[in-house]
Amino acid sequence: MNLVIQGLNVETQDLKQLAKLTGANGIEQMLPNVFRIANCTPHAEVPALCEQAQLDYAYVPDDQKLENIGLVVMDMDSTLITIECIDEIADMFHIKPQIAEITASAMRGEIDFAQSLTKRVGLLAGLDQHALQRVYDERLQLSPGAERFLKTLQAHGIKTLLVSGGFTFFTDKLKDKLKLDYTASNTLDIVDGKLTGKILGKIVDAQGKADWLNKVREELGLKKEQVVAIGDGANDLKMLGQAGISVAYHAKPVVREQTTYAINYVGLDGVLNLFV
C-alpha cells in the first residue's frame, strides 16, 4: 500500500511525519507537490494531519493503474466545471439567491433532486434562451486540471461519460469541445425562444445517473472494478456507488464519507495520481 499525498503546497516536515506515522520505508516525489509514501500502513492520525496541512491523501494499492480502467464517469456542475449552470442561468433572470439556495440544499441531500430541479426550472419560465449561451460564454469554466485529466484518459484509451442533472445545452457543447465519448443530461423545454419552465422527458436524477453508468459500462463490456466515477453532490451517490473506484471532488461532507477517495484541494488532474 502506498500513501499518495498532494496539495497546493506540500511541506517536507509533513511528509516526514506522515511517513513516520504510517511506518513507511521511503518518500518519492512523483510530480511537483505530489508524493508517494511507499509501503505504509494506514494510521488514524493521517486524516487530521492532512486536513490541518490542507493536503489530499489516498491509500493506493500497488496494482492500481490507469491501464486497468476502461470508463470514467463524471458529474458536470462543480465537478468537470466550476459553476452550477442553473444558478448562473438564474442570475440572468435576477433570481440567483432563490435558486442557489434550493441547489445547495439538494446537493447536501436535504431535498429530493428531481423535485428540486422541477421547482428551480419552473422559476425560469419566460427567460430568453440566449441567456444559456451567455452563461456558456461568460461564466462556464473548466475545473483546474480538467483538460490534462481528459487528455491523459484519452491517451490511455479510456472512455468518458459526462452525466449530469444539468442541461443538454451545456453537456453537448462540452462533448464537442473536450471530445467526450458519451453525455447524458436534461433537456429544457423552449418555445418561441423562451424557457417554458419545464423539462422534456424523464429527469436525469440520482438513479438516472447510476443507470447511465451501468448502461455504458455494459455496452463496453466492462466490469465494475474497471469504472471510476467522480462527483460532488448527494445526487451523485448512487452513481458513485456503482463504480469500482469513487472519487469525491471538492464535495459535500455526505459524499466524502461514502467514496473511495476524496480530493479537496488539488485540481481534477489529481485523480490521475491515484493510479501509480
Side-chain angles (χ1 to χ4, degrees):
M1 186 76 72
N2 301 299
L3 177 58
V4 173
I5 298 295
Q6 49 188 332
L8 301 180
N9 183 39
V10 183
E11 299 287 349
T12 300
Q13 62 185 19
D14 291 324
L15 290 172
K16 288 181 176 179
Q17 188 174 354
L18 288 164
K20 183 178 179 180
L21 281 173
T22 58
N25 63 6
I27 301 172
E28 175 190 353
Q29 184 168 10
M30 300 165 65
L31 291 168
N33 289 315
V34 183
F35 296 84
R36 176 168 54 202
I37 299 175
N39 300 318
C40 63
T41 302
H43 192 282
E45 293 181 28
V46 168
L49 192 158
C50 289
E51 183 176 2
Q52 183 178 5
Q54 295 192 323
L55 300 174
D56 289 320
Y57 73 95
Y59 291 104
V60 178
D62 287 333
D63 60 352
Q64 186 164 287
K65 301 186 182 300
L66 278 180
E67 288 74 14
N68 300 328
I69 302 301
L71 173 67
V72 171
V73 184
M74 297 159 285
D75 174 45
M76 179 175 70
D77 296 302
S78 298
T79 301
L80 180 61
I81 63 176
T82 61
I83 63 170
E84 293 285 337
C85 288
I86 193 166
D87 293 357
E88 302 307 318
I89 296 169
D91 199 31
M92 302 292 177
F93 212 29
H94 309 294
I95 56 170
K96 183 174 180 177
Q98 298 97 300
I99 284 188
E101 183 178 350
I102 301 171
T103 300
S105 183
M107 292 305 99
R108 291 192 299 265
E110 297 168 353
I111 56 177
D112 176 74
F113 177 82
Q115 291 178 347
S116 78
L117 185 63
T118 299
K119 184 177 181 179
R120 285 177 287 165
V121 171
L123 293 172
L124 298 176
L127 180 66
D128 192 289
Q129 66 177 349
H130 290 113
L132 304 178
Q133 188 65 46
R134 282 192 60 198
V135 169
Y136 183 82
D137 292 339
E138 300 172 16
R139 307 284 180 89
L140 189 148
Q141 292 186 338
L142 297 175
S143 290
E147 288 187 280
R148 174 177 175 264
F149 174 59
L150 291 170
K151 286 178 180 178
T152 302
L153 297 181
Q154 290 157 358
H156 282 78
I158 298 169
K159 299 297 185 181
T160 52
L161 163 62
L162 180 64
V163 59
S164 173
F167 308 117
T168 53
F169 181 89
F170 301 102
T171 57
D172 287 351
K173 289 181 179 299
L174 289 170
K175 182 179 183 181
D176 292 339
K177 177 180 179 178
L178 300 172
K179 297 180 174 60
L180 303 171
D181 295 295
Y182 308 91
T183 60
S185 55
N186 297 300
T187 303
L188 291 166
D189 186 35
I190 299 174
V191 175
D192 296 329
K194 304 285 186 181
L195 274 65
T196 68
K198 296 179 181 179
I199 298 170
L200 297 175
K202 185 178 179 180
I203 289 177
V204 177
D205 57 6
Q207 187 59 52
K209 288 185 173 188
D211 291 345
W212 269 101
L213 181 153
N214 285 320
K215 178 178 184 292
V216 173
R217 178 184 63 75
E218 290 171 4
E219 284 181 4
L220 295 173
L222 299 173
K223 299 176 182 177
K224 180 177 180 178
E225 53 266 31
Q226 293 176 280
V227 179
V228 176
I230 310 167
D232 73 298
N235 67 315
D236 295 319
L237 285 172
K238 289 185 178 180
M239 171 189 79
L240 292 165
Q242 293 301 308
I245 298 172
S246 55
V247 181
Y249 179 74
H250 293 230
K252 307 298 181 293
V254 67
V255 182
R256 296 199 301 265
E257 293 165 2
Q258 299 182 54
T259 50
T260 316
Y261 303 112
I263 289 181
N264 301 318
Y265 305 108
V266 302
L268 199 57
D269 55 345
V271 175
L272 298 173
N273 300 321
L274 305 177
F275 298 85
V276 295

